[in-house]
Amino acid sequence: MKLPSHVHLVEVGPRDGLQNEAQPLPAAIKIELVQRLQAAGLRHIEVTSYVSPKWVPQMADNHEVMRGLQRLPGVCYAVLTPNLKGFEAALADRPDEIVVFGSASEAFSQKNINCSVAESIERFAPVVAAARAAGIFVRGAMSCTVGCPYEGEVAPQQVGRLAALMKGIGVQHVGVADTLGVGTPLKVQRAFEAALQHYELHQVSGHFHDTYGQALANTLAALQLGVAQFDASVAGLGGCPYARGARGNVATEDLVYLLHGMGIDTGVDLEALIDAGAYISAALGRASGSRVARALLAKRAQAAH
């Protein structure tokens, strides 16, 4: 088994994490969070999304946040753009990457955006074309790759079909997402194998939720296939919208601790990352969702006494 020597992390807390929080935060706090994350060594950050504030009020300050950043060279600032209008709004803020999305589950697509998987991809085609023409990298998020709240287990063939559709419209990289956090290692590996029929190994990444405590085990399963890029959310920001009270995105601190413990480089300073997580947790008025952060913060407190 040959594991990657370096893993590239995509920090999704400022976008995917805070988008799922009931409590909107001021733009200044979001900007400070991004500054702290990049200071900790993260070089790929999902900052915000360009969606209707009617549907996602937490991201209504997208322009203010993007324009308030002190950008560092070598950092990729990504944004989610659900349609051409969103992309055109984002363009003024000079994102390095846009993210489009699609579901491997037909039922999920119909229930959430009232169209088939194929129709949803057709809607994204002009967005992808416009981004590529502007020299902006396009990453695709493939949701519900192992389980769906409406149809249950999702077959690997469905993942392969979605990957093929995304490849067909010019999406350059796809993330295999266990949106519900119901996946287990072998199921996750099968989902990746389906995506890898259409994309090269360096063009796929993992996005795991920890609803059933499987996110780190699923990360290891992906690492065993050679996958070397993963999404994570500082302090475990965000929840699972389909399981009330459940854990959502895997915490970046927990993932970094795992990878460093395996001798895999991330370029991230874990102590600085924990401080960034403590900052945003305090802003939200609660403890960090990272087990590693809670343990190491408690250890710090003991040492201080």
Side-chain angles (χ1 to χ4, degrees), residues 55-70:
W55 303 113
V56 187
Q58 297 91 335
M59 298 289 113
D61 55 4
N62 42 35
H63 292 298
E64 184 180 357
V65 171
M66 283 292 284
R67 293 170 188 178
L69 298 176
Q70 293 180 7

PDB file of all heavy atoms in Angstrom, residues 55-70:
ATOM      1  N   TRP A  55     -32.411  32.862  -0.375  1.00  0.00           N
ATOM      2  CA  TRP A  55     -32.301  31.445  -0.020  1.00  0.00           C
ATOM      3  C   TRP A  55     -31.156  31.164   0.938  1.00  0.00           C
ATOM      4  O   TRP A  55     -31.238  30.272   1.776  1.00  0.00           O
ATOM      5  CB  TRP A  55     -32.141  30.596  -1.283  1.00  0.00           C
ATOM      6  CG  TRP A  55     -33.274  30.782  -2.255  1.00  0.00           C
ATOM      7  CD1 TRP A  55     -33.227  31.352  -3.492  1.00  0.00           C
ATOM      8  CD2 TRP A  55     -34.649  30.407  -2.045  1.00  0.00           C
ATOM      9  NE1 TRP A  55     -34.481  31.370  -4.071  1.00  0.00           N
ATOM     10  CE2 TRP A  55     -35.373  30.792  -3.203  1.00  0.00           C
ATOM     11  CE3 TRP A  55     -35.328  29.793  -0.992  1.00  0.00           C
ATOM     12  CZ2 TRP A  55     -36.736  30.583  -3.332  1.00  0.00           C
ATOM     13  CZ3 TRP A  55     -36.702  29.583  -1.122  1.00  0.00           C
ATOM     14  CH2 TRP A  55     -37.382  29.978  -2.278  1.00  0.00           C
ATOM     15  N   VAL A  56     -30.052  31.918   0.801  1.00  0.00           N
ATOM     16  CA  VAL A  56     -28.888  31.692   1.674  1.00  0.00           C
ATOM     17  C   VAL A  56     -28.426  33.050   2.209  1.00  0.00           C
ATOM     18  O   VAL A  56     -27.439  33.625   1.726  1.00  0.00           O
ATOM     19  CB  VAL A  56     -27.742  30.978   0.919  1.00  0.00           C
ATOM     20  CG1 VAL A  56     -26.624  30.596   1.893  1.00  0.00           C
ATOM     21  CG2 VAL A  56     -28.254  29.748   0.197  1.00  0.00           C
ATOM     22  N   PRO A  57     -29.126  33.588   3.221  1.00  0.00           N
ATOM     23  CA  PRO A  57     -28.770  34.915   3.737  1.00  0.00           C
ATOM     24  C   PRO A  57     -27.369  34.964   4.343  1.00  0.00           C
ATOM     25  O   PRO A  57     -26.760  36.039   4.408  1.00  0.00           O
ATOM     26  CB  PRO A  57     -29.851  35.182   4.788  1.00  0.00           C
ATOM     27  CG  PRO A  57     -30.412  33.832   5.139  1.00  0.00           C
ATOM     28  CD  PRO A  57     -30.310  33.021   3.893  1.00  0.00           C
ATOM     29  N   GLN A  58     -26.855  33.801   4.767  1.00  0.00           N
ATOM     30  CA  GLN A  58     -25.515  33.772   5.376  1.00  0.00           C
ATOM     31  C   GLN A  58     -24.421  34.210   4.404  1.00  0.00           C
ATOM     32  O   GLN A  58     -23.338  34.620   4.822  1.00  0.00           O
ATOM     33  CB  GLN A  58     -25.192  32.359   5.885  1.00  0.00           C
ATOM     34  CG  GLN A  58     -26.102  31.866   6.994  1.00  0.00           C
ATOM     35  CD  GLN A  58     -27.306  31.120   6.459  1.00  0.00           C
ATOM     36  OE1 GLN A  58     -27.738  31.330   5.329  1.00  0.00           O
ATOM     37  NE2 GLN A  58     -27.854  30.227   7.267  1.00  0.00           N
ATOM     38  N   MET A  59     -24.684  34.107   3.105  1.00  0.00           N
ATOM     39  CA  MET A  59     -23.676  34.454   2.098  1.00  0.00           C
ATOM     40  C   MET A  59     -23.996  35.767   1.371  1.00  0.00           C
ATOM     41  O   MET A  59     -23.423  36.063   0.330  1.00  0.00           O
ATOM     42  CB  MET A  59     -23.561  33.326   1.070  1.00  0.00           C
ATOM     43  CG  MET A  59     -23.112  31.994   1.635  1.00  0.00           C
ATOM     44  SD  MET A  59     -21.357  31.957   2.137  1.00  0.00           S
ATOM     45  CE  MET A  59     -21.522  31.796   3.929  1.00  0.00           C
ATOM     46  N   ALA A  60     -24.885  36.567   1.925  1.00  0.00           N
ATOM     47  CA  ALA A  60     -25.296  37.817   1.272  1.00  0.00           C
ATOM     48  C   ALA A  60     -24.158  38.828   1.191  1.00  0.00           C
ATOM     49  O   ALA A  60     -24.206  39.754   0.371  1.00  0.00           O
ATOM     50  CB  ALA A  60     -26.482  38.424   2.019  1.00  0.00           C
ATOM     51  N   ASP A  61     -23.128  38.659   2.012  1.00  0.00           N
ATOM     52  CA  ASP A  61     -22.003  39.604   2.043  1.00  0.00           C
ATOM     53  C   ASP A  61     -20.828  39.130   1.195  1.00  0.00           C
ATOM     54  O   ASP A  61     -19.683  39.510   1.441  1.00  0.00           O
ATOM     55  CB  ASP A  61     -21.545  39.824   3.487  1.00  0.00           C
ATOM     56  CG  ASP A  61     -21.190  38.510   4.194  1.00  0.00           C
ATOM     57  OD1 ASP A  61     -21.235  37.435   3.547  1.00  0.00           O
ATOM     58  OD2 ASP A  61     -20.868  38.552   5.387  1.00  0.00           O
ATOM     59  N   ASN A  62     -21.105  38.320   0.162  1.00  0.00           N
ATOM     60  CA  ASN A  62     -20.025  37.717  -0.625  1.00  0.00           C
ATOM     61  C   ASN A  62     -19.037  38.745  -1.193  1.00  0.00           C
ATOM     62  O   ASN A  62     -17.823  38.556  -1.130  1.00  0.00           O
ATOM     63  CB  ASN A  62     -20.588  36.825  -1.741  1.00  0.00           C
ATOM     64  CG  ASN A  62     -21.782  37.431  -2.458  1.00  0.00           C
ATOM     65  OD1 ASN A  62     -21.851  38.640  -2.644  1.00  0.00           O
ATOM     66  ND2 ASN A  62     -22.728  36.594  -2.854  1.00  0.00           N
ATOM     67  N   HIS A  63     -19.552  39.831  -1.768  1.00  0.00           N
ATOM     68  CA  HIS A  63     -18.665  40.850  -2.344  1.00  0.00           C
ATOM     69  C   HIS A  63     -17.780  41.478  -1.265  1.00  0.00           C
ATOM     70  O   HIS A  63     -16.568  41.653  -1.460  1.00  0.00           O
ATOM     71  CB  HIS A  63     -19.471  41.946  -3.042  1.00  0.00           C
ATOM     72  CG  HIS A  63     -20.189  41.494  -4.277  1.00  0.00           C
ATOM     73  ND1 HIS A  63     -19.527  41.013  -5.388  1.00  0.00           N
ATOM     74  CD2 HIS A  63     -21.518  41.448  -4.576  1.00  0.00           C
ATOM     75  CE1 HIS A  63     -20.415  40.696  -6.320  1.00  0.00           C
ATOM     76  NE2 HIS A  63     -21.621  40.951  -5.850  1.00  0.00           N
ATOM     77  N   GLU A  64     -18.385  41.816  -0.142  1.00  0.00           N
ATOM     78  CA  GLU A  64     -17.641  42.463   0.948  1.00  0.00           C
ATOM     79  C   GLU A  64     -16.529  41.549   1.463  1.00  0.00           C
ATOM     80  O   GLU A  64     -15.398  42.006   1.714  1.00  0.00           O
ATOM     81  CB  GLU A  64     -18.602  42.830   2.084  1.00  0.00           C
ATOM     82  CG  GLU A  64     -17.943  43.593   3.208  1.00  0.00           C
ATOM     83  CD  GLU A  64     -18.905  43.952   4.320  1.00  0.00           C
ATOM     84  OE1 GLU A  64     -20.113  43.653   4.202  1.00  0.00           O
ATOM     85  OE2 GLU A  64     -18.438  44.529   5.325  1.00  0.00           O
ATOM     86  N   VAL A  65     -16.846  40.260   1.604  1.00  0.00           N
ATOM     87  CA  VAL A  65     -15.848  39.318   2.112  1.00  0.00           C
ATOM     88  C   VAL A  65     -14.701  39.154   1.114  1.00  0.00           C
ATOM     89  O   VAL A  65     -13.524  39.278   1.480  1.00  0.00           O
ATOM     90  CB  VAL A  65     -16.496  37.953   2.429  1.00  0.00           C
ATOM     91  CG1 VAL A  65     -15.422  36.914   2.757  1.00  0.00           C
ATOM     92  CG2 VAL A  65     -17.473  38.087   3.594  1.00  0.00           C
ATOM     93  N   MET A  66     -15.023  38.897  -0.140  1.00  0.00           N
ATOM     94  CA  MET A  66     -13.971  38.680  -1.136  1.00  0.00           C
ATOM     95  C   MET A  66     -13.084  39.917  -1.303  1.00  0.00           C
ATOM     96  O   MET A  66     -11.863  39.814  -1.449  1.00  0.00           O
ATOM     97  CB  MET A  66     -14.591  38.295  -2.476  1.00  0.00           C
ATOM     98  CG  MET A  66     -15.074  36.855  -2.542  1.00  0.00           C
ATOM     99  SD  MET A  66     -13.726  35.643  -2.503  1.00  0.00           S
ATOM    100  CE  MET A  66     -13.095  35.774  -4.183  1.00  0.00           C
ATOM    101  N   ARG A  67     -13.693  41.088  -1.266  1.00  0.00           N
ATOM    102  CA  ARG A  67     -12.923  42.311  -1.478  1.00  0.00           C
ATOM    103  C   ARG A  67     -12.161  42.745  -0.230  1.00  0.00           C
ATOM    104  O   ARG A  67     -11.238  43.558  -0.313  1.00  0.00           O
ATOM    105  CB  ARG A  67     -13.849  43.421  -1.961  1.00  0.00           C
ATOM    106  CG  ARG A  67     -14.396  43.131  -3.350  1.00  0.00           C
ATOM    107  CD  ARG A  67     -15.503  44.062  -3.796  1.00  0.00           C
ATOM    108  NE  ARG A  67     -16.087  43.591  -5.054  1.00  0.00           N
ATOM    109  CZ  ARG A  67     -17.106  44.163  -5.683  1.00  0.00           C
ATOM    110  NH1 ARG A  67     -17.665  45.249  -5.156  1.00  0.00           N
ATOM    111  NH2 ARG A  67     -17.580  43.662  -6.810  1.00  0.00           N
ATOM    112  N   GLY A  68     -12.522  42.172   0.909  1.00  0.00           N
ATOM    113  CA  GLY A  68     -11.840  42.520   2.151  1.00  0.00           C
ATOM    114  C   GLY A  68     -10.639  41.654   2.473  1.00  0.00           C
ATOM    115  O   GLY A  68      -9.900  41.926   3.422  1.00  0.00           O
ATOM    116  N   LEU A  69     -10.405  40.617   1.673  1.00  0.00           N
ATOM    117  CA  LEU A  69      -9.299  39.695   1.942  1.00  0.00           C
ATOM    118  C   LEU A  69      -7.951  40.324   1.612  1.00  0.00           C
ATOM    119  O   LEU A  69      -7.821  41.049   0.627  1.00  0.00           O
ATOM    120  CB  LEU A  69      -9.460  38.417   1.118  1.00  0.00           C
ATOM    121  CG  LEU A  69     -10.698  37.558   1.383  1.00  0.00           C
ATOM    122  CD1 LEU A  69     -10.724  36.390   0.407  1.00  0.00           C
ATOM    123  CD2 LEU A  69     -10.723  37.057   2.814  1.00  0.00           C
ATOM    124  N   GLN A  70      -6.966  39.997   2.412  1.00  0.00           N
ATOM    125  CA  GLN A  70      -5.575  40.297   2.070  1.00  0.00           C
ATOM    126  C   GLN A  70      -5.026  39.020   1.424  1.00  0.00           C
ATOM    127  O   GLN A  70      -4.641  38.082   2.107  1.00  0.00           O
ATOM    128  CB  GLN A  70      -4.778  40.667   3.319  1.00  0.00           C
ATOM    129  CG  GLN A  70      -5.211  41.975   3.942  1.00  0.00           C
ATOM    130  CD  GLN A  70      -4.404  42.316   5.184  1.00  0.00           C
ATOM    131  OE1 GLN A  70      -3.431  41.649   5.515  1.00  0.00           O
ATOM    132  NE2 GLN A  70      -4.818  43.359   5.881  1.00  0.00           N
TER     133      GLN A  70
END
